[in-house]
Structure formats: C-alpha cells, structure tokens
Amino acid sequence: SAGTLALSGSGNLPSAGQISLTAASLDASQESSAFTLTTNTLTANGASTLIFSNTAPASIGAFDMNDSTLQLPVADGTVASVIATNLNFGGSTNYVSVTVVGTPSQTQFPLVKYTSMSGFNVGLASILPAAAGYIGYISNNVANNSIDFVLTGTGASIVWNGGNSAVDNNWSDAL
C-alpha cells in the first residue's frame, strides 16, 4: 500500500520472505551497509519507487519491476547500485531516474548487475541535476550482464565574453 519504507544506518531485512510494494516506496539510499535480500524476492508494482545508493550495493535474489521506477546515483567507477540474481521487467513500462554525482569522466555506468534477466521495457525518466543538461539513455549491456546508463553529452555550454571595452569591461553571459 502507499507510503515509504526508509532504511538507514545498517538496517536490513535479510530474513524477509518477500517484499512487495504497490504504489509505495522503498528507500535504502541512506544505508551504510549493503541492503541484503539475497535469497528472497523484491517486487515493485504499479507506480512504486525503489531508491538505492552505489556506496553499498543492494543484493537481491529475485527483483521484479512492474510499471515502477528505480532511482539510482551514477558516479565514476564500476560499482552497480543493485546486484540481482534474477531480474524481471514486467508491466508496460518501467523507468530509471539517475542522479549524476560529481563531474563524470566516463560515459557508461552499470546500474543493475544481473545473472539472468527477462523483459527489458525500461525507459529513462530523468537525469539530475537538470541544470547540468546531461543527455543519455538506458541500455541492456548483454556482455556485462548489466543495465547501464550511457551518458551521451551535456547541454549547451555557456559562452563568456569580455564585454565591450568601449562601454564597459564587465563580463557578460550573452551568447
């Protein structure tokens, strides 16, 4: 049902048989240790949101997404935020929202590593911070068994000029 289950510190649910969300949120982004549900199932149904971090990757046995959203950070390095044995995408469309941390020097970031996967109806919901103007897409990296965010560019750069020395020497952001 609706609401948010937020885990922080070293909170975990390793012995939970199954976690099933419907139009609700699970936020494990503030975990200081890995969120572990290795032998069990996490199911996100109908407008649910799952939020993880890449500082302590979540380990999930069966990870089922059905018309839901996954929110993940991307930063330089190769650590995926979620490691799933069985990854299943159902429903009509699932989304990934990414937050770019720092200034990336690479262009491809693993988000979810999997052993097996079925379905791939995943779209990019948003890239934050929006002010940076990042452009990219979500890809199934079959060679790496991962769902990746591919950064293809940034928005237009601001051009600074030195102003008109006949009038003033003030800097301007006029293009």
Side-chain angles (χ1 to χ4, degrees):
S1 64
T4 299
L5 171 60
L7 300 174
S8 63
S10 58
N12 262 311
L13 302 168
S15 60
Q18 177 175 355
I19 297 175
S20 183
L21 306 171
T22 301
S25 297
L26 171 63
D27 184 349
S29 64
Q30 301 302 311
E31 283 282 288
S32 59
S33 61
F35 173 81
T36 305
L37 199 64
T38 336
T39 59
N40 301 309
T41 302
L42 173 59
T43 303
N45 294 309
S48 290
T49 302
L50 303 162
I51 308 165
F52 295 105
S53 138
N54 63 356
T55 56
S59 296
I60 302 167
F63 184 21
D64 303 328
M65 285 187 64
N66 303 296
D67 298 321
S68 294
T69 300
L70 187 58
Q71 293 180 3
L72 303 170
V74 295
D76 283 341
T78 59
V79 178
S81 295
V82 177
I83 300 166
T85 303
N86 300 306
L87 180 60
N88 306 299
F89 292 107
S92 58
T93 306
N94 294 284
Y95 293 100
V96 176
S97 291
V98 296
T99 300
V100 178
V101 179
T103 303
S105 62
Q106 67 191 64
T107 57
Q108 191 154 345
F109 305 87
L111 301 174
V112 180
K113 290 278 290 175
Y114 58 83
T115 303
S116 68
M117 185 190 72
S118 66
F120 183 68
N121 55 344
V122 181
L124 183 61
S126 64
I127 305 172
L128 300 172
Y134 293 112
I135 303 165
Y137 61 91
I138 301 299
S139 173
N140 180 15
N141 183 343
V142 177
N144 192 44
N145 282 1
S146 63
I147 304 301
D148 294 357
F149 169 65
V150 180
L151 180 63
T152 58
T154 59
S157 300
I158 295 176
V159 177
W160 293 92
N161 65 47
N164 182 343
S165 60
V167 177
D168 62 41
N169 284 321
N170 295 327
W171 285 90
S172 169
D173 64 354
L175 298 175

